[in-house]
Amino acid sequence: MGAEMKIAIVAGEVSGDLLGADLVAALKRRHAGIELVGVGGDALEAQGLKSLFDFSELSIMGITQVLGKLPKLVARIRQTTAAIIAAKPDILIIIDSPDFTHRVAKRVREALPELPVVNYVCPSVWAWKEYRAQQMLGYVDHVLAVLPFEPAVMEQLGGPQTTYVGHRLTADAELIAARRGRAERLKTGAEGRKTIMLLPGSRSSEITKLLPYFRDAVNELVARSGAMRFLMPTVSRRESMVRNLVEDWETKPEILTGNEQKWRAFAEADAAMAASGTVILELALTGVPTVSVYKTDWIITMMTRRIKTWTGAIPNLIADYAVVPEYINEVVRGASLARWMERLSSDTLQRRAMLEGFDLVWQRMQTEKPPGEKAADIVLDILDKKKPGRL
């Protein structure tokens, strides 16, 4: 049981908030009297955190947006740093959102050099700015990775000790249910109209850039293959926007909102075209054959030469070969997407090869314990080494 434990925790977005909450819940199951200080959302607040401010302010995606919000970002970094230093916690856990969390960790380490710092979710040093790995040695003691290839990359780049703790998606009940539903459909050999899922992303810039190409793909598919069913899950805050954008489509997709409808679509879709991002991993783990599509903003386009990774699709990195085809910027064509959807929605060699790759991804991501529990093991071990016998 031990003495009261004070944990500083900083999460900058919803996914990090959920990871942090799972970790804190696992810690509470093993240690009574945990006090939290820092920044988080609903999930962490349900575990007892009183966030220093509304963490939605930190939802910064894309370099152009970072530049626009820089003054507010700097102010929040100072506020968070001051609060953590004043609290004198036993450990600091930073989760994802490196533009914010790493700056906080650097400043806290300067003021509290003996404070252990754990970074949950490895920064994408395998994609670009690989020098960050060694820089992290100055303010991070241990990295908790959510992708299985990351510990080897961090070791190769000379970064902090890194442990793969597992990915939250592999334990997600809705994803697992959709995966099982798809397996049953494959056994029964369901026939009828093909169902294609369209996933243009959750940010307005992504949606407006990709939907014209998705429309071209839909028109091409209908012209070539006849009537098909099209499903378009979207987040509630984008529903009105998406409905307006597809209003004049010749063949309108079914617009779906909410988690229940999203995972129903995942269970029913024969294939999908999707904006590059976490959703590609969701599709792979569920077993939905997919093509990854992306149109980057102008600054990222200019910086392409600095991107080191050979692929932007996480399943490809985990499998270590090109499982998911990718179309980026100028090579995005509706006609290409349509032809992929034809091949991936039928029993073809391409579909079989992709599903075999997805099985490999699933196997490589499995862990003996849920991510929160494994992460809690490491945090408690670090704390015990700091003050033996205290826990």
Side-chain angles (χ1 to χ4, degrees), residues 81-82 84-86 88 104-115:
T81 302
I84 292 172
I85 293 170
K88 295 182 180 177
V104 169
K106 288 177 188 176
R107 294 183 180 213
V108 171
R109 173 54 63 87
E110 288 176 3
L112 303 173
E114 301 302 316
L115 179 69

Side-chain angles (χ1 to χ4, degrees), residues 196-214:
I196 305 297
M197 187 158 51
L198 313 173
L199 294 155
S202 59
R203 301 196 294 274
S204 58
S205 58
E206 285 180 323
I207 295 167
T208 54
K209 287 175 182 175
L210 290 183
L211 279 186
Y213 298 98
F214 284 11

Side-chain angles (χ1 to χ4, degrees), residues 4-308:
E4 185 173 279
M5 183 194 306
K6 185 180 290 187
I7 296 176
I9 191 162
V10 183
E13 54 189 87
V14 173
S15 58
D17 180 50
L18 294 171
L19 289 174
D22 287 347
L23 169 55
V24 171
L27 289 170
K28 284 182 174 180
R29 285 191 285 273
R30 303 183 218 180
H31 189 94
I34 291 179
E35 180 184 346
L36 301 176
V37 60
V39 178
D42 293 344
L44 275 169
E45 289 187 336
Q47 292 295 330
L49 174 69
K50 292 183 179 178
S51 184
L52 296 169
F53 56 87
D54 184 347
F55 88 141
S56 65
E57 292 180 22
L58 303 177
S59 298
I60 299 170
M61 302 296 292
I63 293 175
T64 51
Q65 292 186 44
V66 171
L67 293 175
K69 296 184 179 179
L70 197 55
K72 189 65 172 286
L73 185 63
V74 170
R76 291 307 193 190
I77 289 168
R78 288 173 177 163
Q79 176 189 1
T80 306
T81 302
I84 292 172
I85 293 170
K88 295 182 180 177
D90 295 296
I91 193 167
L92 167 60
I93 301 169
I94 56 173
I95 310 175
D96 214 354
S97 305
D99 286 319
F100 181 78
T101 62
H102 283 237
R103 286 175 169 83
V104 169
K106 288 177 188 176
R107 294 183 180 213
V108 171
R109 173 54 63 87
E110 288 176 3
L112 303 173
E114 301 302 316
L115 179 69
V117 179
V118 173
N119 177 195
Y120 198 168
V121 182
C122 182
S124 52
V125 292
W126 37 265
W128 71 320
K129 293 185 179 180
E130 65 275 17
Y131 57 82
R132 290 177 296 168
Q134 287 193 12
Q135 288 181 346
M136 287 169 63
L137 289 170
Y139 59 92
V140 170
D141 298 291
H142 204 115
V143 177
L144 308 178
V146 299
L147 298 173
F149 60 85
E150 290 175 325
V153 172
M154 287 294 279
E155 183 177 6
Q156 180 183 354
L157 294 176
Q161 184 178 353
T162 302
T163 304
Y164 173 57
V165 297
H167 199 291
R168 203 170 190 271
L169 284 175
T170 61
D172 186 285
E174 291 174 306
L175 186 150
I176 292 170
R179 180 181 169 87
R180 288 174 179 161
R182 295 189 63 76
E184 288 301 316
R185 285 183 66 229
L186 286 174
K187 287 180 184 177
T188 58
E191 296 294 335
R193 281 189 307 165
K194 297 296 182 185
T195 298
I196 305 297
M197 187 158 51
L198 313 173
L199 294 155
S202 59
R203 301 196 294 274
S204 58
S205 58
E206 285 180 323
I207 295 167
T208 54
K209 287 175 182 175
L210 290 183
L211 279 186
Y213 298 98
F214 284 11
R215 178 182 186 170
D216 290 346
V218 167
N219 289 342
E220 185 91 4
L221 279 166
V222 172
R224 288 169 61 91
S225 305
M228 302 181 84
R229 184 183 179 211
F230 298 96
L231 305 178
M232 190 183 292
T234 190
V235 292
S236 298
R237 67 181 183 279
R238 302 294 182 216
E239 180 182 3
S240 176
M241 173 188 177
V242 169
R243 290 191 183 279
N244 288 335
L245 289 172
V246 304
E247 182 60 33
D248 62 346
W249 282 27
E250 295 80 356
T251 303
K252 293 182 178 59
E254 298 174 37
I255 309 298
L256 309 172
T257 58
N259 262 356
E260 184 177 344
Q261 291 196 59
K262 168 191 167 179
W263 289 111
R264 178 173 61 81
F266 272 55
E268 295 175 0
D270 293 295
M273 58 186 86
S276 177
T278 304
V279 72
I280 302 297
L281 182 58
E282 291 180 335
L283 290 161
L285 293 175
T286 312
V288 185
T290 189
V291 174
S292 174
V293 191
Y294 206 66
K295 301 281 285 186
T296 58
D297 65 33
W298 64 273
I299 292 184
I300 291 291
T301 301
M302 290 174 61
M303 298 175 67
T304 300
R305 291 183 182 178
R306 297 181 63 187
I307 298 175
K308 304 295 184 181

